[in-house]
Structures are given as structure tokens and as C-alpha cells.
Amino acid sequence: MKITDLFNVKNKVAVVTGGSRGIGEMITAGFLANGVKVYITARKAPALLEKAKELSEKYEHECIPIPCDLSTKEGVEDFVNQIVNKENGIDFLINNAGAAWGEPFESFSEGGWDKVMDLNVKSLFFLTQKMKLLLTTNASLDDPSRVINIGSIDGLNVPALPTFSYSASKAAVHHLTRVLAAQLVKENILVNAIAPGPYPSNMLGAAVNHDYSEIEKRNPRKRVGTPEDIAGLVIFLCSRAGAYTVGETITSDGGIVKTASHNLS
Ligand SMILES: NC(=O)c1ccc[n+]([C@@H]2O[C@H](COP(=O)([O-])OP(=O)(O)OC[C@H]3O[C@@H](n4cnc5c(N)ncnc54)[C@H](OP(=O)(O)O)[C@@H]3O)[C@@H](O)[C@H]2O)c1
């Protein structure tokens, strides 16, 4: 019952997609600081390699970069093959890489639809499918493997911006989480989702010119999310403490979804 046992993730192996910056970097930092070996992937190789080196040095734990484009099935297969060549099994798969697209309804493009749905939904499904064998290798009834899908509060609330495919993709991630959870719990792989609210990143920053002051003012907690907020939740879900939580979508948004006044009317 001690916290050091309940939340222990030491000596586990994790894969964090989109680990080169933003929320993926925050999750990776939390894992490394607590003794997890982490594979990170992103498309831009120089930034990814530099980030892996920086995080390995800072947390004195192994962070291994594998540059890959997960938006295609070939990219997904290539990435999985590279992991298979290095590990017999993995414990945690964090499906974090994602894309957003905003365009007025009247001119919303097919490219903006496909780019978002392909990466956020299709690739997440096929990566999980192809990682199953690796996850099963390390899974047992007492110590199940974990998959965490990063959704969004935009998949729960109606977003203010014209991000039609993004909000639909994140609602799909949340439901796919339940469907995958039902499929994989039989094999001791627990699937859950996290729906983040505003966290500083390239994705959110691009929408507000990297000025988060208005977002902070509107947030019930009067701030944006921090690495501790997201890493703490991921570690809970991956540890003994989270081993009876299955198919959930947990918000990490300072209270937007559950307390915003338009949801109470
Ligand atoms: N920040 C927020 O406020 C917020 C809120 C709700 C949900 N989310 C979700 O959180 C996740 C992370 O978002 P973020 O805000 O941290 O975004 P971000 O700063 O744009 O980071 C996205 C990460 O994904 C990688 N990536 C993008 N496309 C990829 C591809 N085709 N193949 C492999 N890697 C790819 C990026 O690296 P490369 O560009 O080098 O590929 C980067 O490492 C996303 O699923 C997003 O929808 C974010």
C-alpha cells in the first residue's frame, strides 16, 4: 500500500508517439524520471534526436529516438519493425501523436479531413494492432500492459474553432478506446484514454500565438496544464494503482468539461 509500490513504474519499457515536444515530451519526462525506458517517435529526425539526448541526460535514463511518419500504414509497420528489432516486449504504448486542422465550414478541405482522421484515428488503431504481440509478451493478470490514447476535450465538448475533423477524430478516439479495451482486456492489456484540455504546445500555441493568458483566465483552475498534471495521470494509469481502470476517458483540463456553465444549464 505504500506510494512507492502503488505508483511504481520502474524498469518498464514504454513507447510514446509524438514524444519530441508538447504533451508527448511531458509524458516521456515523467516516465524517464521514474525509471522507465522510453522509445519516442516523430517525423522531424534532428529535433527528435536532440530531444532524446536532452531528456536522457536530464533524467539519467534511456530515451531512444526512432524517426518515423506514423500517418501511413507503411510508416506504422516500419516503426513497429524497428521496435521488434530492439525489444522482446513492451509494457506501455502511449498513442499521443496527433494533428489538428482548422478551416471555415464552407471551404473545409478533404486534405484537412484525411490528414487528421488518418493520424488521429486510423494510425492509432493500426499501431495498437501491430504492437499487440509486444504488449502481450509483458502482460499478465497481476501486471497488465497498458495502452493510453490521447484524446481531447474537443471530442467531448463542441469546440469554439472550426476544427470539424479534429473534434470528430477525438470523439472517435474516446469510443475506440472502449472498443479496444473490451477486446484487449481479455489478454491483460488495459486500454484507457486521457482527454487533455489546454496544455502549452505547438498545436495549441499555433491557435493563440503562444499567448495562453486568455485561456488561463477562462480556465476554472486559472492556468494551463503542466508536465506534472499529464505525467501524474499517465503514471497512475500505468501503475498498480490504475490496474482496475479500464476503458475510461479521463479529462485533464482544469475542470472545463465538468464545470463549465454551459454544461450545467
Ligand atoms: N496541447 C493541447 O492543448 C492538447 C489538448 C488536447 C489534446 N491534445 C492532443 O495531445 C497530443 C499531442 O499534442 P501536442 O499539443 O503536444 O502537439 P504538438 O506539440 O504538435 O506535438 C505533436 C507531436 O506529434 C508528432 N507527430 C505529428 N505528426 C506525426 C506523424 N505523422 N508521425 C509521427 N509523429 C508525428 C510531432 O513531431 P513531428 O512534427 O516531428 O512529426 C510532435 O512530436 C495530440 O494527440 C493532441 O491532439 C493536445
Side-chain angles (χ1 to χ4, degrees):
M1 279 294 177
K2 290 223 184 289
I3 276 180
T4 43
D5 294 325
L6 274 180
F7 293 93
N8 183 22
V9 285
K10 206 165 178 216
N11 295 327
K12 299 290 191 182
V13 180
V15 168
V16 180
T17 69
S20 66
R21 59 173 195 257
I23 288 180
E25 178 187 346
M26 298 178 199
I27 294 169
T28 301
F31 274 149
L32 293 170
N34 290 284
V36 178
K37 177 181 181 182
V38 189
Y39 288 89
I40 57 173
T41 186
R43 289 163 305 175
K44 296 177 196 94
L48 181 74
L49 269 55
E50 200 175 306
K51 186 57 67 179
K53 186 169 176 285
E54 175 197 319
L55 293 176
S56 292
E57 285 170 5
K58 182 167 180 191
Y59 295 104
E60 298 178 338
H61 217 75
E62 215 177 346
C63 182
I64 302 134
I66 301 185
C68 240
D69 183 352
L70 295 176
S71 67
T72 65
K73 238 180 135 196
E74 297 73 44
V76 168
E77 274 159 17
D78 176 46
F79 177 59
V80 174
N81 288 338
Q82 294 201 53
I83 301 280
V84 167
N85 287 338
K86 294 179 197 304
E87 297 288 338
N88 294 326
I90 67 161
D91 301 283
F92 314 137
L93 168 61
I94 315 299
N95 284 313
N96 164 77
W101 190 282
E103 236 181 317
F105 174 66
E106 288 76 12
S107 56
F108 201 91
S109 57
E110 190 177 359
W113 187 270
D114 289 345
K115 180 188 159 93
V116 168
M117 291 303 255
D118 280 355
L119 181 64
N120 295 9
V121 186
K122 186 173 166 184
S123 295
L124 178 151
F125 175 79
F126 284 108
L127 183 61
T128 307
Q129 180 200 55
K130 303 213 175 312
M131 284 283 187
K132 197 197 108 177
L133 215 55
L134 286 164
L135 287 159
T136 313
T137 304
N138 286 13
S140 68
L141 192 60
D142 283 343
D143 192 9
S145 292
R146 318 291 161 95
V147 175
I148 300 177
N149 298 325
I150 304 300
S152 170
I153 59 164
D154 283 2
L156 299 167
N157 281 355
V158 175
L161 296 169
T163 50
F164 301 97
S165 53
Y166 182 74
S167 47
S169 78
K170 292 302 184 177
V173 167
H174 301 157
H175 193 56
L176 187 55
T177 296
R178 289 193 285 274
V179 177
L180 289 173
Q183 174 70 28
L184 295 176
V185 69
K186 295 173 262 185
E187 304 187 56
N188 299 318
I189 300 169
L190 311 186
V191 186
N192 289 286
I194 293 174
Y199 274 80
S201 74
N202 275 17
M203 186 185 282
L204 179 64
V208 295
N209 225 358
H210 294 274
D211 175 2
Y212 301 102
S213 53
E214 279 305 312
I215 290 176
E216 287 175 335
K217 259 189 245 161
R218 285 200 308 269
N219 190 281
R221 289 277 290 124
K222 301 293 169 215
R223 65 172 177 83
V224 290
T226 68
E228 290 81 2
D229 295 318
I230 199 84
L233 191 45
V234 167
I235 288 169
F236 157 70
L237 285 172
C238 288
S239 65
R240 176 63 191 83
Y244 206 49
T245 300
V246 180
E248 281 292 346
T249 293
I250 304 177
T251 55
S252 177
D253 67 348
I256 294 173
V257 168
K258 290 294 158 79
T259 71
S261 53
H262 70 269
N263 285 324
L264 300 175
S265 58

